[in-house]
Amino acid sequence: MAETGKRRAPRGFFAGAVQLWVADERGAETLIFGTCCDVSRYGLGVRTDLPMEVGATVPVAIHLPQASYHGKATVRHCTAQTNAYFVGMEF
């Protein structure tokens, strides 16, 4: 695991599917699929096709062959990349 900067816990690199339910201004949720890039005890980094609003709290699901994990995370940053967005989320 790598630890850099002011992180509270080391990050583990993990490439897996993530589901995010993002609410619009009316409260209607849209399911967005992303790819997890890294995860730690306190959050995760996700690559998505759509941007996400900083400060938004969204339901998150990560599915592995041996288990599924569900919870909520708050978007801390969203950075445009070539053909994608990198979203940093805090649990």
Side-chain angles (χ1 to χ4, degrees):
M1 295 209 171
E3 183 160 7
T4 60
K6 299 179 182 179
R7 297 196 181 280
R8 295 183 287 165
R11 291 183 294 176
F13 296 99
F14 170 77
V18 178
Q19 294 174 307
L20 308 161
W21 288 266
V22 180
D24 65 16
E25 61 278 349
R26 298 176 316 231
E29 289 184 339
T30 300
L31 175 60
I32 295 177
F33 292 94
T35 302
C36 186
C37 300
D38 59 64
V39 65
S40 78
R41 180 177 180 184
Y42 299 105
L44 71 161
V46 179
R47 185 162 284 112
T48 67
D49 291 336
L50 300 171
M52 297 180 68
E53 183 178 340
V54 173
T57 299
V58 299
V60 176
I62 300 172
H63 302 289
L64 304 173
Q66 63 274 29
S68 290
Y69 300 95
H70 303 268
K72 290 189 177 186
T74 302
V75 177
R76 294 299 178 207
H77 66 84
C78 181
T79 305
Q81 297 181 329
T82 304
N83 300 321
Y85 294 88
F86 182 77
V87 183
M89 307 183 81
E90 181 179 29
F91 297 130

